[in-house]
Amino acid sequence: MTQLERRQWDVVVVGAGGAGLRAAIEARERGARTAVICKSLFGKAHTVMAEGGIAASMGNVNSGDNWRVHFRDTLRGGKFLNQWRMAELHAQEAPDRVWELETWGALFDRTPDGKISQRNFGGHEYPRLAHVGDRTGLELIRTLQQKIVALQQEDFREYGDYEARLKVYQECTVTRILKEDGAEGGDSEDGGRVAGAFCYERESGRFFVLEAPSVVLATGGIGKSFKVTSNSWEYTGDGHALALLAGAPLLNMEFVQFHPTGMVWPPSVKGILVTESVRGDGGVLRNSEGKRFMFDYIPDVFKEKYAESEDEGDRWYEDPDHNRRPPELLPRDEVARAINSEVKAGRGSPHGGVFLDVSTRMPAEVVRRRLPSMYHQFKELADVDITAEAMEVGPTCHYVMGGIAVDSETAAAPGVAGLYAAGEVAGGMHGSNRLGGNSLSDLLVFGRRAGLHAAAYAAGLDVRPAPDEGQIDAAAAEALRPFGAGEASRGDAVGPDGPGDRPAENPYTLHQELQQTMNDLVGIIRREQEMEQALEKLAELRVRAGRAGVEGHRQFNPGWHLALDLRNMLLVSECVARAALERTESRGGHTREDWPGMDSDWRRVNLYCRLAGTEEGAATDPAAGRIALTRRTTEPIRPDLLALFDKEELVKYLAEEELHE
Ligand code: FAD
C-alpha cells in the first residue's frame, strides 16, 4: 500500500478556469467542503486569455434580444446537433450569471446610458457580448478569484482557518480519478462510485490523494494535440482522458473548432488568437487581390441573413434593423473554411494566411481603445502596427465542442456516480460548432450547476466511498513509469516485455509527431484515407509512448509532466480521429472533403467514445485501438423550441421523419 498524504473533502474540482471556479464557489456556498486543484498557477487558466466577451441576451444594446433568439442562434451555429436542453438553459441563465458577476465586483464596459455594453460577434443576431475591452477573461477570472478570497475570509472569521471549507491546490496535477473498491471503470454502464483523485505536486513531484465522493472535471480543452493552436500548454485533454479512464463516455469528439483568425507570422507565434471582436467591431477580410472574399462564401442556409453587398454590410454597423450583417460575421466554421479555400486557390497573403484589416475601417485611437490587446500583440510579436496596416491571419485549432457526455440539468457524467463535468471539457452544449462568446457563458451557467449538484450528491450520502488501495498503487506506478524507461535506456532493462527492451523515447519528439499528425491528417479539411493513416500513426505513437522516458528527478521536471500528459493526448486524439472517420458528412467543425454535404440523417446521430481497454488483449497490446465508438439517436427537440424556427429553415436541418413527427 502506497503511503502518501490524504485529505478529505466533500467536493474536489479539477481545474481553476471559469467553470472550475464557478463550480467551487457554488459547492462551497451550498455548504460543501471544497478543494480546487489546478495544474497551472492559480489565475493562469485558459479563461484568462478570453478576449472578446461573454454572450448573454441582456438586450442592453438592442432590446429585440431575448433568450429565445440566443437559443436559436446557438442551435443554428451548432447546426442543430446541440444538446438542446443545455442550449436552452444556457440562453435562459446567462444574463443572471453576468449580472451576478457585477454584484461580485466585475467592471464591464458601459453603453452611453450606463448599461453593460454588448458587442457584435459571428452568428449572434444582436450585439450580445458583454466585454471588458478585449480582456474579458481576465476580468472574469479576477472576479471569481476575488469571490473565492471573500469566502475564505468568511471561513477565517468563523473557523480561524482560511482554508477550512475552500482550499486551492495550485500547480498540482490529477492523473487518475479514484473509485471505490471494486469499481475499476472501463466500458460498463455502471461505472461505480467516485472516491477521489490521485494527484502530484509539480514542484516537488510529491504524490497525494484528495478523497471525495464528488469530483467536478473542469479541465478545459485539447488544443495541444494540434500543431497550430491558440491554446496554451495546459490544454492536453486531461479531463477528457480522466473521464474515459474512469468509465464515462465522451460525446461527438469529431467536432473541433478551427478559429478562422490566428496569427500566421512570425513562426514562433503561429496560431495565437486574433479575437473575433476585430471583425465584430468592423474589421474585414481581404485576399491578395484586395477582394472582400467572404461574399462568395455565404452558404444557402445563411443566405437570407447576410448582406449581399459591401455597402449593405457596412451600413449594418450603424443601422442593424434595416440591413443585413456582413459575411465576415458568419459562424467560425464557415469563415475558417473560406480562408482555407482562398489560400489553397493561391490568393493568400505572403505567409499563408489572408488579410484582416481594421486600419482602413476606423481611426487609430478607436482601434487602440477597443482592441488594446490586439494592438500590443501585433506590435510586440510581429512588429505590425494594426492601426496602419492589415494583419495576416489564418485558421488555428481553438476549441473542442466534443467532450464528456453530461446530463443537461445536473452536469453529471452518466454511469459514474459522483462524477461531474463543466466548461470546455463537457460536450453537447455547442453541437457541431460553438459561437464566439458562448464559452464564457457556458462556464458560468454549467459551472454553477455542476457545483450545486456535486455538493447535493455528497451531502445526500450516508456512507462515503473509500478509494480502492489497488488503484492508488497502480496510479503511483503509472506516474513513475517514465523514470523506469529512462533507466532502461541506460542499459538497465526491466523485463522481456517491459520498457527496457527498446530504447526510451523522448516525450518531446512524441508530442511533436502527434501534433503534426493531427494537424496534417485530422485537421480542418478531412479525408478518409488520411484519417486511417492518422489512426495507424497514433497506434505507433501509443506503443512508443509506453517507452517515454525521462531523466533527472521528480522535482519540477517538465519532461516528466509531458510524458504523463501524452497518455491523455493520445487517448483524446484517437477519439477525434475515430469519430471523424465514422461521421460521413460535413457539419460545423467537422469538414470531410469526401463527404462535403450536411446530411440530415446524421443530425440524429450522436457518437459516443468509450474506453475499450477491458476487452481481452486490448489492455496489454498498446497497438490495439483503445476507443470503442457507439451511435445513439439524439433526443427529439421539444416542439415549443422547434416552433421558434420557420418551417423552411427546419427543412434544411431535420430528417424527413423528424419533420413528420
Ligand atoms: P480553463 O479556463 O482552461 O481552465 C482549465 C483548468 O484546468 C486550468 O486551471 C488548468 O490548470 C486545469 N487543469 C487541466 N488539466 C488538469 C489536471 N490534469 N489536473 C489539474 N488541473 C488541470 N470564449 C468566449 O466565450 N469568449 C471569448 O472571448 C473567448 N476568447 C478566447 C481567446 C483565446 C485566446 C482562447 C484560447 C479561448 C477563448 N475563448 C473564448 C474560449 C474560452 O476561453 C475557453 O473555452 C474557456 O476559458 C475554457 O474554460 P474552462 O474553465 O473550461 O477551462
Side-chain angles (χ1 to χ4, degrees):
M1 181 169 135
T2 309
Q3 293 298 325
L4 26 82
E5 185 191 324
R6 296 169 191 228
R7 294 276 185 92
Q8 283 78 34
W9 299 93
D10 298 325
V11 175
V12 168
V13 178
V14 188
L21 294 187
R22 189 61 191 82
I25 290 167
E26 194 66 23
R28 155 66 182 77
E29 288 203 314
R30 304 269 162 178
R33 292 186 64 254
T34 303
V36 183
I37 176 164
C38 53
K39 74 183 195 183
S40 36
L41 285 166
F42 190 46
K44 166 53 199 86
H46 230 91
T47 303
V48 88
M49 294 160 71
E51 293 163 354
I54 172 166
S57 60
M58 296 181 288
N60 289 352
V61 175
N62 189 321
S63 59
D65 205 8
N66 60 53
W67 77 261
R68 289 177 186 82
V69 188
H70 192 181
F71 169 82
R72 216 162 51 195
D73 290 345
T74 302
L75 248 72
R76 281 180 185 138
K79 305 261 166 41
F80 277 66
L81 203 69
N82 315 60
Q83 202 152 309
W84 55 264
R85 178 63 177 146
M86 282 180 100
E88 182 188 16
L89 289 169
H90 166 258
Q92 287 172 336
E93 294 177 8
D96 284 348
R97 299 285 75 77
V98 174
W99 282 316
E100 175 182 77
L101 277 187
E102 276 230 310
T103 66
W104 293 349
L107 284 171
F108 289 99
D109 291 350
R110 318 308 291 188
T111 60
D113 53 350
K115 294 179 185 159
I116 293 176
S117 175
Q118 299 190 269
R119 64 160 45 118
N120 287 304
F121 244 55
H124 292 281
E125 188 163 338
Y126 295 115
R128 189 176 283 147
L129 270 70
H131 55 92
V132 183
D134 54 5
R135 294 173 183 150
T136 312
L138 176 64
E139 183 69 354
L140 194 144
I141 284 287
R142 187 195 67 72
T143 306
L144 294 176
Q145 282 188 316
Q146 184 175 309
K147 178 72 182 167
I148 295 228
V149 170
L151 289 169
Q152 289 179 322
Q153 284 171 341
E154 211 176 281
D155 282 352
F156 184 74
R157 285 193 291 276
E158 211 169 312
Y159 301 97
D161 176 4
Y162 288 105
E163 295 176 335
R165 289 186 296 177
L166 185 50
K167 179 174 169 67
V168 178
Y169 295 84
Q170 64 172 337
E171 293 206 277
C172 294
T173 303
V174 173
T175 63
R176 282 276 176 172
I177 301 300
L178 300 168
K179 314 266 279 291
E180 72 183 326
D181 214 355
E184 277 291 328
D187 61 357
S188 76
E189 283 291 322
D190 177 15
R193 295 199 298 170
V194 160
F198 183 88
C199 326
Y200 72 88
E201 199 179 60
R202 296 173 77 82
E203 194 181 343
S204 65
R206 181 182 64 91
F207 296 149
F208 61 99
V209 167
L210 298 178
E211 294 183 9
S214 289
V215 171
V216 178
L217 291 171
T219 50
I222 66 163
K224 275 296 168 192
S225 295
F226 290 80
K227 189 175 171 199
V228 180
T229 177
S230 64
N231 293 180
S232 65
W233 66 271
E234 304 100 310
Y235 265 20
T236 48
D238 294 9
H240 293 77
L242 289 170
L244 272 176
L245 292 164
L250 305 188
L251 171 71
N252 292 340
M253 288 299 290
E254 63 277 32
F255 296 114
V256 177
Q257 181 169 81
F258 293 85
H259 193 291
T261 59
M263 291 177 83
V264 294
W265 184 259
S268 57
V269 299
K270 192 166 177 167
I272 290 185
L273 194 76
V274 180
T275 173
E276 192 166 326
S277 1
V278 175
R279 282 170 288 135
D281 286 359
V284 293
L285 289 164
R286 291 201 179 91
N287 63 17
S288 58
E289 296 162 2
K291 182 175 179 191
R292 271 179 76 177
F293 58 85
M294 280 309 302
F295 286 91
D296 298 339
Y297 291 93
I298 307 174
D300 285 347
V301 284
F302 290 118
K303 274 239 149 73
E304 282 155 31
K305 304 245 170 268
Y306 285 82
E308 269 166 29
S309 67
E310 292 188 24
D311 283 349
E312 185 186 0
D314 286 348
R315 283 198 305 271
W316 173 83
Y317 286 101
E318 297 304 321
D319 182 7
D321 292 336
H322 301 100
N323 295 286
R324 290 169 297 177
R325 55 187 33 232
E328 278 91 356
L329 292 178
L330 275 160
R332 289 174 176 174
D333 52 329
E334 310 290 354
V335 184
R337 270 191 297 270
I339 293 177
N340 201 61
S341 303
E342 286 297 303
V343 175
K344 234 172 139 182
R347 295 187 292 269
S349 65
H351 300 105
V354 293
F355 296 104
L356 173 58
D357 183 31
V358 282
S359 66
T360 58
R361 309 274 302 169
M362 50 183 113
E365 83 271 7
V366 176
V367 173
R368 278 194 291 267
R369 177 163 45 80
R370 289 194 66 93
L371 303 165
S373 298
M374 287 303 106
Y375 175 74
H376 288 292
Q377 185 172 308
F378 274 88
K379 197 91 194 92
E380 278 159 32
L381 301 180
D383 198 22
V384 166
D385 177 356
I386 67 169
T387 65
E389 55 189 310
M391 302 161 242
E392 276 188 77
V393 294
T396 178
C397 175
H398 183 58
Y399 184 89
V400 61
M401 275 72 67
I404 302 169
V406 287
D407 178 78
S408 299
E409 312 275 340
T410 63
V416 185
L419 189 63
Y420 298 81
E424 192 168 339
V425 74
M429 159 68 207
H430 305 284
S432 65
N433 175 49
R434 173 178 72 88
L435 294 186
N438 268 2
S439 173
L440 294 187
S441 37
D442 167 5
L443 310 182
L444 298 175
V445 167
F446 293 103
R448 176 186 158 276
R449 284 181 165 267
L452 192 164
H453 290 284
Y457 168 79
L461 289 176
D462 291 333
V463 182
R464 296 204 160 201
D468 178 271
E469 293 303 324
Q471 287 181 35
I472 295 176
D473 292 343
E478 177 184 49
L480 289 174
R481 198 173 301 140
F483 291 106
E487 280 163 28
S489 69
R490 294 191 295 273
D492 182 16
V494 298
D497 295 310
D501 288 347
R502 309 278 298 275
E505 292 276 352
N506 180 336
Y508 291 98
T509 309
L510 294 170
H511 188 205
Q512 273 168 11
E513 288 184 36
L514 169 67
Q515 289 183 315
Q516 195 74 55
T517 303
M518 292 305 284
N519 227 76
D520 295 350
L521 305 177
V522 202
I524 181 165
I525 308 289
R526 298 165 173 174
R527 299 161 195 92
E528 180 175 328
Q529 232 185 349
E530 290 184 355
M531 287 184 286
E532 280 165 354
Q533 266 177 40
L535 283 165
E536 279 168 30
K537 180 71 183 176
L538 290 175
E540 177 211 311
L541 288 172
R542 208 162 36 239
V543 174
R544 289 167 55 199
R547 300 195 304 273
V550 290
E551 302 212 338
H553 40 66
R554 282 160 65 179
Q555 277 87 0
F556 201 87
N557 184 336
W560 178 39
H561 304 160
L562 179 61
L564 299 181
D565 291 344
L566 274 173
R567 177 201 68 188
N568 304 332
M569 285 187 275
L570 283 165
L571 271 175
V572 165
S573 298
E574 188 186 338
C575 291
V576 175
R578 277 197 197 287
L581 183 60
E582 179 85 355
R583 187 175 284 273
T584 47
E585 66 156 353
S586 293
R587 181 184 293 270
H590 169 61
T591 305
R592 294 276 305 246
E593 194 177 72
D594 43 358
W595 295 93
M598 189 165 66
D599 177 347
S600 47
D601 285 334
W602 267 107
R603 197 211 70 78
R604 304 199 78 185
V605 180
N606 278 327
L607 291 176
Y608 282 75
C609 294
R610 278 182 186 276
L611 200 66
T614 51
E615 284 154 22
E616 193 65 26
T620 48
D621 176 8
R626 298 214 60 198
I627 299 301
L629 270 185
T630 47
R631 293 181 183 204
R632 286 209 199 151
T633 309
T634 55
E635 200 191 331
I637 302 175
R638 223 176 49 225
D640 60 304
L641 295 176
L642 277 184
L644 298 173
F645 299 88
D646 289 339
K647 184 88 190 288
E648 299 83 75
E649 185 171 11
L650 292 179
V651 170
K652 296 174 194 162
Y653 292 104
L654 302 192
E656 192 82 2
E657 55 218 87
E658 291 180 278
L659 287 166
H660 288 307
E661 279 161 22

